[in-house]
Amino acid sequence: MEYKLLVKKAIESREKAYTPYSNFKVGAALQTKSGKIYTGCNIECASYGATNCAERTAIYKAVSEGDKEILAIAVVGAPEEYTYPCGICRQVIVEFGKEIKIIIAQTEEDYKVYNIKELLPNSFSPEDLTERECT
Ligand code: THU
């Protein structure tokens, strides 16, 4: 796993951010077990609630390609700041793996690596719904 490459891809993806309302651009890039990399940017909408974060764009692209064993996801937001995933994105990340690494980056040389367990402790996750019968 090359975190630097993921950060580079996230920075490139940030260029594509569609942010006419906040002008806050975010890029993400994830790698799956298959070795493939998927990128995403935030996409805003005049109906603000329909906005999609960069992390979720990348995750939904991977999952919709049938590639859902995510190993790591890099996130870059405002330059010269560390941008952390919002609560909704943390919940979506844990949906696809409790061992996923989150790389919070400013540049290819400057990043921090977290576990999703650190960013979303005591999470409600798929295991909580197993062995339960639907009525
Ligand atoms: N945003 C992301 O894309 N990822 C995050 O984790 C934080 C927030 C976006 C959503 C919105 O387009 C803009 O940043 C401001 O909230």
Side-chain angles (χ1 to χ4, degrees), residues 8-78:
K8 182 172 180 274
K9 297 272 183 191
I11 291 170
E12 284 169 8
S13 191
R14 185 174 58 188
E15 294 297 314
K16 311 245 172 44
Y18 175 73
T19 56
Y21 307 105
S22 75
N23 198 31
F24 188 85
K25 296 181 184 302
V26 184
L30 66 82
Q31 189 159 24
T32 60
K33 210 170 163 187
S34 73
K36 264 190 91 172
I37 292 175
Y38 297 85
T39 58
C41 61
N42 52 332
I43 302 168
E44 297 183 345
C45 189
S47 174
Y48 297 165
T51 290
N52 207 56
C53 290
E55 298 90 319
R56 278 178 288 142
T57 302
I59 293 169
Y60 295 159
K61 280 169 73 177
V63 174
S64 64
E65 294 297 317
D67 206 357
K68 56 183 189 302
E69 290 190 65
I70 299 168
L71 301 178
I73 181 166
V75 185
V76 292

Side-chain angles (χ1 to χ4, degrees), residues 89-105:
C89 289
R90 292 177 197 210
Q91 186 70 44
V92 173
I93 291 168
V94 83
E95 180 70 26
F96 294 101
K98 287 201 153 169
E99 304 305 324
I100 296 174
K101 303 285 186 202
I102 326 288
I103 299 115
I104 306 295

